[in-house]
Amino acid sequence: MADGRMRGRGGSGTDRGGPDAAGPDPGRAEAGPDRAATGPAGAGAWGDGVAVLVGFARTLREAGVPADGERVQTFLGAVDALGTGRREVYWAGRVTLCGRAEDLAHYDRAFAAYFGDRTAPPPRPRIAPPPRVRPTAHAAAEAPGDDGGRTAPAVPAAARAAAAEVLRHRDIAGLTAAERAELHRLRTAFALRGEQRRTARLRPARRGAVDPRRTVRELLRGGGEPAALRRRTPAHKPRRVILLLDVSGSMSPYADALLRFAHAARHARAARTSGAAPATEVFTLGTRLTRVTRQLSHRDPDAALAAVGTAVPDWSGGTRLGETLRAFLDRWGQRGLARGAVVVVLSDGWERGDTTLLGGQARRLHRLAHRVVWANPRKARPGYEPLAGGMAAVLPHVDAFVAGHSLAALERLAAVVRGAAGA
């Protein structure tokens, strides 16, 4: 170990989570250089450090944390890069072995139980230290240090990539401001494409039906000499995507992130259409329907969200999904905007109005659209069942019902929209 000693399993350390379960400072050496080294279940001294770390991963799996083989390999690489101090091992495991917010409490308890009184092995020699980068703001705020938790050890690029992977799976509602900012940075490369559809236009191709006009033109250009046959095939283009975002009070923890998701999708599609009519339309749902496609045309996402906040009068208000869906279909759907499009509704399904009206409008929408995808941020919660009146009314008329609580869930939603994944 670099500077700390880890004590064996047992004692009062089994009830306390975090890296400071064995004392106020996990990075500070225990008193007494001749302290006995005891391992879990009487394993004796550390011996093979890799075996001990793998044993810790096995303990995590027994505690309910899905630490699979790929995560364990990443964990071992992070420990090798950071060092084998108690604090370094704690953070290396936390950012690589935990993939969900609910894993953190299990991780802290397992770490305290497994490494409670364990003496650390000597660090392996290295030719040169790895490059150091500044940790994320969340890690800096929570990392235990010698100054009472105000500072954190520098995190290498590999560990930071693992932390970003964990952040992708975190529920948006539970993120801090710094984590939300990091999530917005990860979303910059996001793209939302509609499922491809066949058009009436034809394009040149190597295979397909013979194009008589181009073939004759080629013959005339060669003075009547034989020439290769020119062929053509139907062109394809992505279907229009319509996003209906619930901005009622029950969706307020997710509204900002979902609007940024819509902003990224809107601009990714607009760039591909080269100035043509936008292929992505965005509406907000609450007590009334508001079209915000024009407000989201700002390149700067903060300016776009400020414009949306000014344009939407029912922000964090009530929910009348049935009435707002009927308003959308009466004004926009029947005119052809929803016809043949992929319609994505991002809502938790809470309905204060008539659920019979909501079910009828969902059936009407399903007849017009090519596909209806419903993303519910609460679907990923343990034990969730779509028993609320609104969700029960619309589910028979939905082609795909997916989660929408994290960046990873929104990426899967994008795959469903472009037809690359099922429900």
Side-chain angles (χ1 to χ4, degrees), residues 53-54 57 67-83 88-89 91-98 124 155-166:
L53 297 177
V54 173
D68 55 22
E70 183 178 353
R71 289 185 179 274
V72 172
Q73 289 295 330
T74 307
F75 170 49
L76 296 177
V79 171
D80 185 47
L82 286 173
E88 287 78 1
V89 172
W91 282 111
R94 179 173 170 131
V95 301
T96 57
L97 299 176
C98 298
R124 284 188 284 176
V155 181
R160 184 168 183 176
E165 178 65 19
V166 172

Side-chain angles (χ1 to χ4, degrees), residues 4 178 207 227 309 320 336:
R207 298 175 182 176
R320 293 179 184 151

Side-chain angles (χ1 to χ4, degrees), residues 391-423:
M391 284 308 312
V394 302
L395 273 183
H397 314 294
V398 169
D399 297 296
F401 181 45
V402 300
H405 66 295
S406 66
L407 180 59
L410 293 177
E411 290 171 350
R412 184 177 183 276
L413 168 63
V416 172
V417 169
R418 67 174 179 266

Side-chain angles (χ1 to χ4, degrees), residues 246-255 285-286 314-319 348 350 352 378:
D246 187 346
V247 294
S248 61
S250 61
M251 286 288 292
S252 57
Y254 302 95
L285 308 176
D314 54 343
W315 194 276
S316 296
T319 312
D348 56 4
W350 287 101
R352 294 186 179 181
R378 307 189 189 279

Side-chain angles (χ1 to χ4, degrees), residues 4 20 69-70 75 118 167 181 199 201 206-207 232 241 246 252 267 270 286 292 298 327 377 379 386 393 400 408 420:
D20 49 356
E70 183 178 353
F75 170 49
R118 178 178 287 281
L167 187 61
T199 68
R201 294 179 177 273
R206 292 185 177 181
R207 298 175 182 176
R232 62 188 181 183
V241 178
D246 187 346
S252 57
H267 283 275
V292 294
H298 293 280
K379 182 178 184 293

Side-chain angles (χ1 to χ4, degrees), residues 38 43 50 123 147 220 281 293 301 385:
T38 59
V50 173
D147 55 355
L220 293 176
E281 291 282 346
T293 305
E385 293 289 341

Side-chain angles (χ1 to χ4, degrees), residues 270-423:
R272 277 189 293 275
T273 55
S274 301
T280 300
E281 291 282 346
V282 186
F283 296 81
T284 61
L285 308 176
T287 56
R288 59 182 294 179
L289 175 76
T290 307
R291 182 172 181 253
V292 294
T293 305
R294 182 174 58 84
Q295 285 76 12
L296 290 175
S297 63
H298 293 280
R299 283 289 176 184
D300 181 12
D302 293 325
L305 263 64
V308 170
T310 303
V312 176
D314 54 343
W315 194 276
S316 296
T319 312
R320 293 179 184 151
L321 291 177
E323 295 180 14
T324 51
L325 270 182
R326 180 171 61 184
F328 167 74
L329 292 170
D330 289 346
R331 184 174 179 183
W332 304 99
Q334 290 298 126
R335 296 189 346 190
L337 191 65
R339 193 176 301 278
V342 180
V343 180
V344 182
V345 184
L346 297 110
S347 171
D348 56 4
W350 287 101
E351 172 63 295
R352 294 186 179 181
D354 185 7
T355 57
T356 304
L357 172 64
L358 175 58
Q361 298 307 311
R363 181 171 59 252
R364 184 181 166 197
L365 175 63
H366 188 261
R367 288 198 302 264
L368 279 174
H370 173 71
R371 275 187 100 195
V372 178
V373 181
W374 196 290
N376 189 334
R378 307 189 189 279
K379 182 178 184 293
R381 296 187 177 181
Y384 171 82
E385 293 289 341
L387 302 178
M391 284 308 312
V394 302
L395 273 183
H397 314 294
V398 169
D399 297 296
F401 181 45
V402 300
H405 66 295
S406 66
L407 180 59
L410 293 177
E411 290 171 350
R412 184 177 183 276
L413 168 63
V416 172
V417 169
R418 67 174 179 266

